Amino acid sequence: VQLQASGGGLVQAGGSLRLSCAFSGRTFSNYIVAWFHQAPGKEREFVATVAGDTWIYIDSVKGRFTIARVNAKSTVYLQMNSLKPEDTGVYYCAAKESGFSYNHDDYNYWGQGTLVTVSS
């Protein structure tokens, strides 16, 4: 499995970005893909995923971020609106075979990360 994350950048607080995670190498439908965030000096934490018909978000991004999975493109998007300085960090997409988990240790495959910087 290969994951390619893109779409990060520098944005002012209140702005928006859309991250993309392109999946390849295996059958996309057999994998859960999630987004994780690692702020400077902090541990990597779960942000969002979609598993079947269930959308799961960490509380701090509910109402601001939207995850979308496009099976025809083997791609997962993270639309980030109303960005805050605390959203700054590297965003990683990760994949695991069936079964949702908040724990980054449970994900076997990782993209290279894309940096998001939100200025105040």
Short mmCIF file of all heavy atoms in Angstrom, two decimals, residues 87-111:
data_model
loop_
_atom_site.label_atom_id
_atom_site.label_comp_id
_atom_site.label_asym_id
_atom_site.label_seq_id
_atom_site.Cartn_x
_atom_site.Cartn_y
_atom_site.Cartn_z
N ASP A 87 -4.64 24.17 14.68
CA ASP A 87 -4.70 23.14 13.64
C ASP A 87 -3.35 22.98 12.93
O ASP A 87 -3.18 22.06 12.12
CB ASP A 87 -5.76 23.47 12.59
CG ASP A 87 -7.17 23.48 13.15
OD1 ASP A 87 -7.48 22.62 13.99
OD2 ASP A 87 -7.96 24.37 12.75
N THR A 88 -2.42 23.85 13.23
CA THR A 88 -1.09 23.79 12.62
C THR A 88 -0.41 22.47 12.94
O THR A 88 -0.51 21.96 14.05
CB THR A 88 -0.23 24.95 13.13
OG1 THR A 88 -0.76 26.17 12.61
CG2 THR A 88 1.22 24.81 12.69
N GLY A 89 0.29 21.94 11.95
CA GLY A 89 1.03 20.70 12.14
C GLY A 89 1.09 19.90 10.86
O GLY A 89 0.65 20.36 9.80
N VAL A 90 1.63 18.72 10.98
CA VAL A 90 1.71 17.81 9.84
C VAL A 90 0.50 16.88 9.87
O VAL A 90 0.18 16.31 10.92
CB VAL A 90 3.01 16.99 9.85
CG1 VAL A 90 3.04 16.03 8.66
CG2 VAL A 90 4.22 17.90 9.84
N TYR A 91 -0.14 16.77 8.74
CA TYR A 91 -1.30 15.89 8.60
C TYR A 91 -0.88 14.65 7.81
O TYR A 91 -0.29 14.77 6.72
CB TYR A 91 -2.45 16.61 7.92
CG TYR A 91 -3.14 17.58 8.85
CD1 TYR A 91 -2.55 18.79 9.17
CD2 TYR A 91 -4.36 17.26 9.45
CE1 TYR A 91 -3.15 19.67 10.06
CE2 TYR A 91 -4.96 18.13 10.34
CZ TYR A 91 -4.35 19.33 10.64
OH TYR A 91 -4.95 20.20 11.53
N TYR A 92 -1.16 13.51 8.37
CA TYR A 92 -0.84 12.24 7.76
C TYR A 92 -2.12 11.48 7.44
O TYR A 92 -3.07 11.49 8.23
CB TYR A 92 -0.02 11.38 8.72
CG TYR A 92 1.32 11.93 9.12
CD1 TYR A 92 1.45 12.73 10.25
CD2 TYR A 92 2.47 11.64 8.39
CE1 TYR A 92 2.68 13.24 10.64
CE2 TYR A 92 3.70 12.14 8.77
CZ TYR A 92 3.80 12.94 9.90
OH TYR A 92 5.03 13.43 10.27
N CYS A 93 -2.10 10.79 6.31
CA CYS A 93 -3.15 9.81 6.10
C CYS A 93 -2.55 8.43 6.34
O CYS A 93 -1.35 8.20 6.10
CB CYS A 93 -3.78 9.91 4.71
SG CYS A 93 -2.66 9.77 3.31
N ALA A 94 -3.37 7.55 6.83
CA ALA A 94 -2.93 6.21 7.21
C ALA A 94 -4.01 5.20 6.86
O ALA A 94 -5.19 5.55 6.81
CB ALA A 94 -2.63 6.14 8.71
N ALA A 95 -3.60 3.96 6.64
CA ALA A 95 -4.55 2.94 6.23
C ALA A 95 -4.36 1.67 7.05
O ALA A 95 -3.25 1.34 7.48
CB ALA A 95 -4.39 2.63 4.74
N LYS A 96 -5.46 0.99 7.24
CA LYS A 96 -5.44 -0.33 7.87
C LYS A 96 -6.55 -1.17 7.26
O LYS A 96 -7.53 -0.62 6.77
CB LYS A 96 -5.63 -0.24 9.39
CG LYS A 96 -6.97 0.27 9.81
CD LYS A 96 -7.07 0.46 11.34
CE LYS A 96 -6.92 -0.79 12.15
NZ LYS A 96 -8.05 -1.72 12.00
N GLU A 97 -6.39 -2.47 7.32
CA GLU A 97 -7.43 -3.34 6.81
C GLU A 97 -8.53 -3.40 7.83
O GLU A 97 -8.30 -3.54 9.01
CB GLU A 97 -6.88 -4.75 6.54
CG GLU A 97 -5.92 -4.80 5.37
CD GLU A 97 -5.50 -6.20 5.04
OE1 GLU A 97 -6.26 -6.89 4.34
OE2 GLU A 97 -4.42 -6.62 5.49
N SER A 98 -9.75 -3.32 7.40
CA SER A 98 -11.01 -3.34 8.11
C SER A 98 -10.92 -3.10 9.61
O SER A 98 -10.02 -3.58 10.29
CB SER A 98 -11.73 -4.66 7.87
OG SER A 98 -11.06 -5.72 8.53
N GLY A 99 -11.87 -2.35 10.12
CA GLY A 99 -11.93 -2.11 11.55
C GLY A 99 -11.36 -0.75 11.88
O GLY A 99 -10.17 -0.50 11.71
N PHE A 100 -12.21 0.10 12.38
CA PHE A 100 -11.81 1.45 12.73
C PHE A 100 -11.00 1.45 14.02
O PHE A 100 -11.23 0.65 14.92
CB PHE A 100 -13.06 2.32 12.90
CG PHE A 100 -12.80 3.57 13.67
CD1 PHE A 100 -12.07 4.60 13.09
CD2 PHE A 100 -13.23 3.71 14.97
CE1 PHE A 100 -11.80 5.75 13.80
CE2 PHE A 100 -12.95 4.85 15.70
CZ PHE A 100 -12.24 5.88 15.11
N SER A 101 -10.05 2.38 14.15
CA SER A 101 -9.32 2.57 15.39
C SER A 101 -8.87 4.03 15.51
O SER A 101 -8.51 4.65 14.51
CB SER A 101 -8.08 1.66 15.44
OG SER A 101 -7.29 1.95 16.57
N TYR A 102 -8.89 4.56 16.74
CA TYR A 102 -8.35 5.89 17.01
C TYR A 102 -6.83 5.84 17.18
O TYR A 102 -6.17 6.87 17.16
CB TYR A 102 -8.92 6.44 18.33
CG TYR A 102 -10.36 6.86 18.27
CD1 TYR A 102 -11.36 6.08 18.85
CD2 TYR A 102 -10.75 8.06 17.68
CE1 TYR A 102 -12.69 6.47 18.83
CE2 TYR A 102 -12.08 8.46 17.66
CZ TYR A 102 -13.04 7.65 18.24
OH TYR A 102 -14.36 8.05 18.22
N ASN A 103 -6.31 4.65 17.40
CA ASN A 103 -4.91 4.48 17.80
C ASN A 103 -4.00 4.42 16.58
O ASN A 103 -4.12 3.52 15.74
CB ASN A 103 -4.78 3.19 18.61
CG ASN A 103 -3.39 3.03 19.21
OD1 ASN A 103 -2.45 3.73 18.85
ND2 ASN A 103 -3.27 2.10 20.13
N HIS A 104 -3.06 5.34 16.50
CA HIS A 104 -2.19 5.38 15.32
C HIS A 104 -1.34 4.11 15.22
O HIS A 104 -0.92 3.74 14.12
CB HIS A 104 -1.32 6.63 15.32
CG HIS A 104 -0.43 6.77 16.50
ND1 HIS A 104 0.77 6.11 16.63
CD2 HIS A 104 -0.55 7.52 17.62
CE1 HIS A 104 1.34 6.45 17.77
NE2 HIS A 104 0.55 7.30 18.40
N ASP A 105 -1.10 3.44 16.32
CA ASP A 105 -0.29 2.22 16.28
C ASP A 105 -0.99 1.09 15.52
O ASP A 105 -0.35 0.12 15.11
CB ASP A 105 0.03 1.73 17.69
CG ASP A 105 1.06 2.61 18.37
OD1 ASP A 105 1.85 3.25 17.66
OD2 ASP A 105 1.06 2.67 19.62
N ASP A 106 -2.29 1.20 15.35
CA ASP A 106 -3.05 0.15 14.67
C ASP A 106 -3.04 0.29 13.15
O ASP A 106 -3.55 -0.59 12.46
CB ASP A 106 -4.50 0.15 15.15
CG ASP A 106 -4.62 -0.26 16.60
OD1 ASP A 106 -3.74 -1.01 17.09
OD2 ASP A 106 -5.59 0.17 17.26
N TYR A 107 -2.50 1.38 12.67
CA TYR A 107 -2.47 1.62 11.22
C TYR A 107 -1.13 1.16 10.65
O TYR A 107 -0.07 1.53 11.16
CB TYR A 107 -2.73 3.10 10.92
CG TYR A 107 -4.16 3.47 11.18
CD1 TYR A 107 -4.62 3.69 12.49
CD2 TYR A 107 -5.09 3.57 10.14
CE1 TYR A 107 -5.94 4.00 12.75
CE2 TYR A 107 -6.41 3.89 10.39
CZ TYR A 107 -6.83 4.10 11.69
OH TYR A 107 -8.14 4.41 11.93
N ASN A 108 -1.20 0.36 9.60
CA ASN A 108 -0.01 -0.27 9.06
C ASN A 108 0.71 0.57 8.01
O ASN A 108 1.91 0.40 7.80
CB ASN A 108 -0.39 -1.60 8.39
CG ASN A 108 -1.19 -2.49 9.31
OD1 ASN A 108 -2.41 -2.62 9.18
ND2 ASN A 108 -0.52 -3.11 10.27
N TYR A 109 -0.02 1.43 7.34
CA TYR A 109 0.52 2.15 6.20
C TYR A 109 0.32 3.65 6.40
O TYR A 109 -0.76 4.09 6.82
CB TYR A 109 -0.17 1.69 4.91
CG TYR A 109 -0.10 0.20 4.72
CD1 TYR A 109 -1.19 -0.59 5.04
CD2 TYR A 109 1.06 -0.41 4.26
CE1 TYR A 109 -1.14 -1.97 4.90
CE2 TYR A 109 1.12 -1.79 4.11
CZ TYR A 109 0.02 -2.56 4.43
OH TYR A 109 0.09 -3.92 4.30
N TRP A 110 1.36 4.41 6.07
CA TRP A 110 1.35 5.86 6.29
C TRP A 110 1.84 6.60 5.07
O TRP A 110 2.79 6.16 4.41
CB TRP A 110 2.24 6.20 7.48
CG TRP A 110 1.66 5.74 8.78
CD1 TRP A 110 1.77 4.50 9.33
CD2 TRP A 110 0.85 6.50 9.66
NE1 TRP A 110 1.07 4.44 10.51
CE2 TRP A 110 0.50 5.66 10.74
CE3 TRP A 110 0.39 7.82 9.66
CZ2 TRP A 110 -0.29 6.09 11.80
CZ3 TRP A 110 -0.40 8.25 10.71
CH2 TRP A 110 -0.73 7.39 11.76
N GLY A 111 1.20 7.73 4.81
CA GLY A 111 1.73 8.65 3.82
C GLY A 111 2.83 9.48 4.42
O GLY A 111 3.13 9.40 5.62
#
